[in-house]
Amino acid sequence: MKRPRILNASFVRTVTRPGRYGDGRGGHGLSMLVKPMSNGRLSKSWAQRLRINGKPVNIGLGAFPVVTLAEARQKALDNRRTVAQGGDPRGGGMPTFAQATEKVIALHAKGWKGHVSERQWRNSLATYAFPHIGRKRVDKIMTADVMRVLLADDLWNTKRETARRVRQRIGAVMKWAVAQGYREDNPAGDAIGAALPRNGNRKEHFRSLPHSEVAEALAKVRGSGAWIGTKLAIEFLVLTATRPGETRLATWDEIDLDAATWTIPPDRMKAGRAHRVPLSRRALEVLTEALEIRNDTDLLFPSVTGKAAANVTYTKLLRELEIPAVSHGFRSSFRVWCGDTGVDREVAERALAHTVRNPVEAAYNRGTLFERRREVMRAWGRYIAPIG
């Protein structure tokens, strides 16, 4: 395709040759960058070259087709006018990565579930990214800087899932910077993947116990001097094969004692769908004991302060008792037990609230497995908590 003297909508839409295409002498420094991505597709992004305070600056204006040619031209004109009036179109100063992180968290916090995501964002970036790039301006951060974050202390190889999330969160901050016009590209994007060590792709598993050792571990928890709410919560999450967060924030209005069922609402489920959990005899006994510590929060298992337990509380007690597992790992113990005792795969997966990918299987699972799951949870309860 012949390169036009100035950009036009047809060329922008159909061009497939990688390169940078300027909008001519009257385009106020506007250009479109076309480059291939790792998935075989092309990305098309807008940028503007300006001189601000005497220094040449590249400003990102967004990506096509979200930002059209007409919109990019209008942004370029507005920016040029701002500079002509002595202003800075980037919003009065270039933020550091730490400052930009705060902006991104504030932007997304309302859509996150509770305060967990916000804490996780802050903690992971403060621990791993800020020491290297926290004070660096977002327009100065390069792919090499992101590499340094991910490879420091062998993070990419030893904590693969943590490293993946750190990279993803750095990328989100950088995408915000692109949208704000602070830079043209995302240094944590596709290009960095090929440069990272392949052995960093090892899957990180939660530490778990062989299912034959779970009953002994629960007896150790019950016999400890820990707060009763913590001990009951650990036993309940093991009996129900649920995630720690689902148990930690469970409330009495989610429990139907007559039907022996716990319904976890969508906003606390990883898949975003309500999940019904059949309760075994021992699980109901645990709830009966929990009535003694019921308070105004209506939490099933309030902490010693009366509020929701911290998300590290259960694993901390396991560590203090020298039980070599994390609270989430008991789901793995349950899944292996299911396999060893002949429980059908679809029943075991549904008990763990795993998303079923096969559409035929998903349709089958929708309404037929609850009573079969009840039988499985009863058997699991008898196996790990024979005292009930």
Side-chain angles (χ1 to χ4, degrees):
M1 176 180 289
K2 185 178 179 180
R3 181 171 184 159
R5 185 175 60 84
I6 62 174
L7 297 176
N8 59 66
S10 176
F11 178 82
V12 169
R13 185 179 66 256
T14 60
V15 62
T16 59
R17 184 177 179 178
R20 185 178 291 278
Y21 300 89
D23 199 27
R25 294 183 63 183
H28 306 294
L30 177 66
S31 65
M32 180 180 67
L33 177 63
V34 180
K35 63 180 182 179
M37 298 189 296
S38 61
N39 60 9
R41 298 180 180 179
L42 292 173
S43 72
K44 301 177 181 180
S45 58
W46 302 107
Q48 183 180 19
R49 183 78 167 177
L50 287 172
R51 293 188 72 85
I52 301 176
N53 297 324
K55 296 181 180 180
V57 173
N58 288 318
I59 300 178
L61 302 180
F64 177 84
V66 176
V67 178
T68 66
L69 172 59
E71 291 169 336
R73 282 175 170 160
Q74 185 61 54
K75 286 186 177 183
L77 177 59
D78 291 342
N79 290 344
R80 183 67 186 84
R81 285 172 174 165
T82 298
V83 172
Q85 295 167 3
D88 187 333
R90 297 169 298 177
M94 187 67 64
T96 64
F97 179 80
Q99 291 169 336
T101 296
E102 291 300 318
K103 297 284 188 180
V104 173
I105 289 176
L107 187 65
H108 293 286
K110 291 182 179 179
W112 284 334
K113 300 174 182 178
H115 300 290
V116 175
S117 293
E118 182 174 344
R119 285 202 305 272
Q120 290 173 343
W121 263 67
R122 291 185 189 281
N123 291 342
S124 64
L125 292 180
T127 300
Y128 300 107
F130 287 3
H132 303 282
I133 61 174
R135 296 182 180 180
K136 198 162 189 173
R137 286 174 24 174
V138 291
D139 63 324
K140 299 296 184 182
I141 295 173
M142 308 296 288
T143 299
D145 297 312
V146 181
M147 286 280 291
R148 188 166 68 252
V149 171
L150 299 178
L151 296 178
D153 299 320
D154 209 23
L155 175 65
W156 184 255
N157 291 319
T158 59
K159 297 180 180 180
R160 183 257 182 183
E161 182 61 22
T162 297
R164 184 190 66 79
R165 291 180 180 177
V166 169
R167 175 190 171 187
Q168 184 182 54
R169 290 162 184 167
I170 292 174
V173 175
M174 291 295 99
K175 288 177 182 177
W176 174 86
V178 171
Q180 295 297 313
Y182 295 133
R183 59 181 302 124
E184 296 182 52
D185 63 339
N186 171 17
D190 294 332
I192 199 173
L196 288 166
R198 290 193 177 186
N199 59 353
N201 289 329
R202 293 197 305 266
K203 185 173 179 63
E204 187 178 276
H205 295 281
F206 293 103
R207 295 194 309 278
S208 61
L209 291 176
H211 57 75
S212 60
E213 298 177 14
V214 172
E216 181 181 353
L218 287 182
K220 198 169 185 178
V221 169
R222 285 192 294 268
S224 73
W227 165 245
I228 184 173
T230 302
K231 295 191 292 184
L232 292 175
I234 291 174
E235 185 169 4
F236 190 75
L237 73 86
V238 177
L239 286 163
T240 55
T242 49
R243 299 177 179 87
E246 295 159 6
T247 293
R248 187 171 60 86
L249 300 176
T251 56
W252 283 101
D253 62 355
E254 298 168 5
I255 301 294
D256 186 336
L257 292 174
D258 293 333
T261 302
W262 171 27
T263 302
I264 309 174
D267 62 355
R268 259 202 351 275
M269 292 301 302
K270 185 176 181 180
R273 295 191 300 270
H275 178 54
R276 289 196 304 155
V277 183
L279 300 175
S280 65
R281 177 182 174 184
R282 178 55 192 163
L284 292 172
E285 291 174 350
V286 168
L287 290 177
T288 299
E289 294 181 51
L291 285 170
E292 299 179 9
I293 55 173
R294 186 171 183 176
N295 62 21
D296 292 341
T297 67
D298 217 32
L299 292 164
L300 293 186
F301 308 108
S303 69
V304 68
T305 65
K307 300 179 181 179
N311 57 4
V312 298
T313 299
Y314 308 151
T315 294
K316 181 174 180 291
L317 177 57
L318 296 173
R319 184 169 60 247
E320 290 173 351
L321 296 177
E322 298 183 347
I323 296 173
V326 297
S327 53
H328 198 292
F330 287 106
R331 286 167 55 83
S332 297
S333 304
F334 169 77
R335 185 63 183 88
V336 173
W337 172 83
C338 287
D340 289 348
T341 56
V343 174
D344 289 344
R345 187 188 70 85
E346 63 269 23
V347 177
E349 291 297 293
R350 184 61 61 169
L352 290 167
H354 284 164
T355 300
V356 179
R357 303 294 181 188
N358 185 302
V360 176
E361 183 179 332
Y364 172 69
N365 281 344
R366 191 174 297 123
T368 62
L369 297 183
F370 187 73
E371 289 307 317
R372 291 174 63 188
R373 287 199 287 118
R374 187 178 292 282
E375 296 171 5
V376 170
M377 301 316 291
R378 284 171 177 166
W380 172 244
R382 290 192 295 268
Y383 179 66
I384 63 171
I387 66 171

